[in-house]
Amino acid sequence: MSDVILVLNAGSSSIKFAVYPIDADATPVIRGKIAGIGRAPVFSPFDGKDVALDKGELSNLDGAVNHEAIVAMLLTWLQHHEGDTTLVAVGHRVVHGGRNFTAPALIDDAALRELEQLAPLAPLHQPHNLAAIRAVAAWQANLPQVACFDTSFHRTQSRLAQLFALPRDLSDEGIIRYGFHGLSYDYIASILPQHLGERADGRVIVAHLGNGASMCAMKNRKSVATSMGFTALDGLMMGRRCGALDAGVVLYLMQHKGMSAAEVEHLLYRKSGLLGVSEISNNMHVLEESDTPQAREAIDLFCYRAASVLCGLVSAIGGLDALVFTAGIGENSDHIRSLICQRLAWLGVDLDESANCANATRISRAASQVDVLVVPTDEEVVIATATRALVG
Ligand code: ADP
């Protein structure tokens, strides 16, 4: 009998999972994803050698099944597929840890209640993250569960980097810039020395460009500044989210267009970004295949905003030694990387287009002042490592 830990990364419409041996092995023995939750869920499980596994009762999932029920079914499915192993702990991605959760934490009832209070700050993610925790607790109440927060990585930032220019009492009660995608940045920071040697501890910006998108400026592989703020709505243009927006637009929508808070939330989180501007899709790959002017404009705006946000972050770290692209768009779209880098030539970014087209790890020319890399992220391995550390 060997002990294993399960990692759950529950997003708004998908749940990624991975089962790791308890000893320090970075390779999962089972991993997979349930995508399309709420519409037409599709389960794709694989073993450690990337061979597809039998889906069993999860082969025909109903669109009406919620996250909690899917996690319960997944736990039962895993019991049948884990073979001669014992599940000893579950590690979760939790998007918002607020001010108090500055490191991974074992979850008890009090912690769960505190994290529930943060749900309005991450309405797209936090409720689903917590639903997964509740489903595991209902399945086996005494199984240790660890929450790993997307906000924790950014708690090394200075007070200035975290403040809004709002009245002091609001900052004191926690209306500050928290930052997100911290598990992804943590992973990239951990493997940067493999690619950059001593320059890894220099001035580095990591661009996590997925459906959700943000950037993090690091020095000594610690977060100095980031583009997301109080919520995951700030900063870059995203698949469906608008990114940074003049707060006056929100007031105008409510006061002069009669929109309710719920309608504005829906507009800014679900109807904006690439989808809103292109009127076609939130999916970058689809927009790249499209020849409409709206798709072109959405792509151009995405890259324009990415370059201008990046330049703001450069000032926080006093220059730029390396730029790292990661996540779905960052890892796969040579076109987007090229468009962003063209706007950064004045900073000393000199892209090697053939290396970029080949999706090489290093995509800058040898003479480029800034090293440009493509590094796949792995949030699950960060969660597994933290879970091992906490459950011993
Ligand atoms: P999430 O934030 O949901 O984890 P991902 O990191 O999986 O998102 O990124 C999803 C995005 O990556 C989508 O916009 C998708 O179109 C884009 N993407 C994935 N592969 C490609 C590709 N080959 N070319 C362009 N975009 C891609």
Side-chain angles (χ1 to χ4, degrees), residues 44 49 197 273:
S44 359
K49 295 189 176 105

Side-chain angles (χ1 to χ4, degrees), residues 16 208-212 282-285 288 327-329 332-333:
K16 290 183 202 153
H208 177 112
L209 308 179
N211 267 318
N282 63 309
N283 187 315
M284 184 61 93
H285 200 37
E288 285 180 347
I329 298 169
N332 297 298
S333 176

Side-chain angles (χ1 to χ4, degrees), residues 2-83:
S2 58
D3 291 344
V4 293
I5 51 180
L6 167 65
V7 168
L8 290 175
N9 182 346
S12 51
S13 63
S14 71
I15 298 173
K16 290 183 202 153
F17 66 95
V19 177
Y20 294 86
I22 190 75
D23 45 33
D25 187 343
T27 312
V29 287
I30 299 180
R31 62 169 187 88
K33 185 173 180 175
I34 300 123
I37 299 174
R39 291 174 282 119
V42 177
F43 181 48
S44 359
F46 300 91
D47 71 8
K49 295 189 176 105
D50 278 346
V51 176
L53 292 170
D54 174 39
K55 301 180 187 183
E57 288 185 6
L58 284 156
S59 52
N60 270 319
L61 279 166
D62 188 332
V65 182
N66 66 20
H67 283 67
E68 219 159 323
I70 288 184
V71 172
M73 292 161 86
L74 178 65
L75 288 163
T76 308
W77 179 90
L78 281 168
Q79 245 183 342
H80 292 131
H81 283 81
E82 274 165 9

Side-chain angles (χ1 to χ4, degrees), residues 125-326:
H125 300 96
Q126 194 90 340
H128 305 305
N129 305 153
L130 302 184
I133 294 176
R134 277 194 300 271
V136 174
W139 185 69
Q140 219 182 100
N142 293 326
L143 194 61
Q145 298 200 67
V146 172
C148 302
F149 304 98
D150 271 315
T151 46
S152 301
F153 185 75
H154 301 293
R155 299 285 65 75
T156 50
Q157 290 181 7
S158 69
R159 178 172 159 81
L160 283 189
Q162 298 184 63
L163 276 183
F164 289 115
L166 286 170
R168 214 162 252 283
D169 54 337
L170 292 177
S171 312
D172 292 346
E173 76 178 52
I175 303 183
I176 58 168
R177 301 177 61 83
Y178 289 99
F180 299 89
H181 288 137
L183 300 172
S184 171
Y185 294 132
D186 199 342
Y187 176 76
I188 301 290
S190 74
I191 60 161
L192 267 187
Q194 287 176 27
H195 301 293
L196 288 174
E198 285 181 3
R199 269 168 88 84
D201 287 324
R203 302 160 300 178
V204 178
I205 289 185
V206 181
H208 177 112
L209 308 179
N211 267 318
S214 73
M215 289 182 181
C216 179
M218 300 179 190
K219 245 181 173 173
N220 293 318
R221 292 184 287 137
K222 303 268 186 265
S223 174
V224 174
T226 192
S227 61
M228 281 180 170
F230 179 59
T231 67
L233 202 53
D234 200 4
L236 303 178
M237 177 177 173
M238 305 178 219
R240 293 169 182 272
R241 286 171 253 167
C242 57
L245 181 73
D246 175 353
V249 173
V250 176
L251 297 176
Y252 181 84
L253 294 175
M254 297 180 84
Q255 292 170 343
H256 299 285
K257 287 187 69 78
M259 291 177 74
S260 67
E263 285 168 337
V264 174
E265 179 182 282
H266 188 69
L267 179 88
L268 303 183
Y269 275 97
R270 305 252 184 206
K271 297 290 215 183
S272 301
L274 293 173
L275 173 66
V277 178
S278 70
E279 297 180 318
I280 297 172
S281 174
N282 63 309
N283 187 315
M284 184 61 93
H285 200 37
V286 171
L287 298 187
E288 285 180 347
E289 303 279 295
S290 165
D291 53 10
T292 68
Q294 291 89 339
R296 169 76 60 86
E297 190 168 68
I299 290 174
D300 287 346
L301 185 58
F302 182 91
C303 298
Y304 172 86
R305 296 278 296 262
S308 67
V309 166
L310 185 141
C311 291
L313 291 171
V314 166
S315 76
I317 46 175
L320 190 63
D321 298 314
L323 167 61
V324 181
F325 287 100
T326 193

